[in-house]
Amino acid sequence: MIVFLVILNEKDLKRNTDEQEKKRVGVDAQSDATNPEIETNLSSVVSSCPNVIEFELISPGCSDRFTSHEIIDQTACKYINFVADADIEAISKWKLLERLMLIRLKGLVHGRSLIKIAKSCVHLRYLTLVYIGGDNGNPSCDVALCESLTNFTGLLELRLEQPRLNLNCTFFTALCHCTALQRICILSLSGKLDGKCLKPVFDIIPKLTYLQVSTDVRIGEAMKLQRDLIKKYRCSQRPVLMVIIKPYEKVGSDTMFEFSLPYKHFSEMCCWRSKVCYSPTGISCIL
């Protein structure tokens, strides 16, 4: 059983007699987890709930980097590993989708499904992608990710965590197509950061007020880049600009930051959260 969190829009809510706000949909998969041809039937979820506005799909055993807290038991679901690009592509049929969270999908081989989603889900405003293509990274998925960013023009918030994603000119050129972005969080365990290519992002994305980058960068280089960006771009148009550039490491206290930011607010800004374990309001049972 694979469990998705699906949040419906007003049109779907009117069809529910109890006017429930959230709906969880379970999709049965074949019992033989060794069969690589297992179908997850995500397309049936899409066709059954055509007006979804928020969707998240999270692999069991995955934890947030900044809390180190496993949100789902490691053995909870075997079939998530068989969710492939063809399954994820079905998400592109949700024309009203506003929020999307995809976490630790090992079955993605080329990641071209992200491009289809970017082109079709024009109302998408909040996107979280974590370990797409496997725990050790997938160069093909990273390439597809960059291409998809050129079509995510309406995004307000973006959070990426890819273990080997290089933050170079190719990546930042693609990111600059997302001109509506206000908050960006990027984590890359062993990816390299090109600071010269990062600076123009603030010129092209006028409403960007929060940027956090944690990657394979030396502390001295990171601190200098952070200071330079804040000095140049914190002005009357961006009075609350927050820039955090640090080596990829465990974060747990305010002392990690040169510019004071209480950890509670830091967590609210950049840590991804699942709603799978939240109790829906107004109903007594979970479907």
Side-chain angles (χ1 to χ4, degrees):
M1 176 75 75
I2 299 175
V3 179
F4 309 102
L5 172 69
V6 176
I7 297 182
L8 309 176
N9 76 349
E10 186 175 355
K11 293 180 180 179
D12 289 301
L13 291 175
K14 289 180 179 178
R15 286 197 289 266
N16 286 312
T17 57
D18 58 354
E19 296 184 350
Q20 65 189 45
E21 291 184 358
K22 301 177 184 178
K23 180 179 180 181
R24 289 168 174 78
V25 181
V27 181
D28 290 328
Q30 299 178 27
S31 58
D32 183 7
T34 63
N35 182 2
E37 300 300 323
I38 285 180
E39 295 182 358
T40 58
N41 295 326
L42 179 55
S43 59
S44 66
V45 176
V46 175
S47 60
S48 300
C49 307
N51 296 314
V52 166
I53 60 172
E54 182 171 344
F55 180 76
E56 61 182 61
L57 179 58
I58 302 175
S59 172
C62 193
S63 61
D64 191 293
R65 173 66 183 171
F66 292 97
T67 62
S68 297
H69 175 65
E70 265 190 337
I71 60 170
I72 307 175
D73 182 70
Q74 189 84 26
T75 60
C77 177
K78 302 175 183 178
Y79 304 107
I80 191 73
N81 293 331
F82 299 104
V83 174
D85 283 285
D87 301 300
I88 297 302
E89 188 172 322
I91 295 174
S92 65
K93 297 179 181 178
W94 277 326
K95 304 301 183 181
L96 303 179
L97 193 66
E98 296 179 4
R99 293 176 179 265
L100 177 63
M101 182 185 293
L102 302 176
I103 310 292
R104 200 186 185 198
L105 301 184
K106 299 180 179 181
L108 270 61
V109 176
H110 51 73
R112 303 293 296 179
S113 53
L114 297 176
I115 301 173
K116 189 69 176 293
I117 292 172
K119 292 180 177 180
S120 300
C121 301
V122 296
H123 296 289
L124 198 65
R125 297 295 180 262
Y126 307 92
L127 177 64
T128 298
L129 301 174
V130 176
Y131 280 60
I132 300 300
D135 293 347
N136 294 319
N138 184 321
S140 296
C141 287
D142 290 344
V143 171
L145 171 60
C146 287
E147 185 172 344
S148 68
L149 286 176
T150 63
N151 294 284
F152 281 125
T153 54
L155 283 183
L156 300 178
E157 294 185 8
L158 173 66
R159 187 183 192 282
L160 300 176
E161 185 170 354
Q162 290 291 96
R164 303 183 190 279
L165 179 64
N166 287 315
L167 307 183
N168 51 26
C169 288
T170 299
F171 174 81
F172 287 121
T173 299
L175 183 65
C176 285
H177 285 79
C178 307
T179 54
L181 277 171
Q182 299 175 8
R183 290 167 291 277
I184 301 174
C185 178
I186 305 171
L187 292 84
S188 180
L189 175 63
S190 58
K192 302 300 181 181
L193 171 64
D194 189 331
K196 293 181 180 179
C197 295
L198 169 60
K199 292 181 179 180
V201 170
F202 284 89
D203 294 319
I204 300 174
I205 306 179
K207 295 184 179 181
L208 182 61
T209 54
Y210 181 89
L211 173 68
Q212 190 222 327
V213 176
S214 296
T215 186
D216 184 14
V217 60
R218 288 189 292 269
I219 185 66
E221 178 186 351
M223 292 177 66
K224 182 180 184 303
L225 180 58
Q226 177 176 294
R227 284 195 301 266
D228 291 346
L229 289 172
I230 290 182
K231 181 178 179 181
K232 182 176 182 180
Y233 293 104
R234 181 180 283 174
C235 56
S236 59
Q237 286 76 26
R238 291 189 177 105
V240 293
L241 175 65
M242 179 60 64
V243 178
I244 300 171
I245 301 177
K246 292 290 181 181
Y248 190 91
E249 58 187 344
K250 181 69 167 62
V251 177
S253 68
D254 297 342
T255 58
M256 296 294 296
F257 305 104
E258 180 181 354
F259 297 93
S260 177
L261 179 68
Y263 184 73
K264 172 180 173 57
H265 301 309
F266 170 79
S267 175
E268 290 172 348
M269 292 293 288
C270 70
C271 295
W272 61 268
R273 290 179 176 79
S274 169
K275 294 184 179 179
V276 167
C277 297
Y278 289 8
S279 297
T281 56
I283 61 175
S284 58
C285 63
I286 299 176
L287 300 179

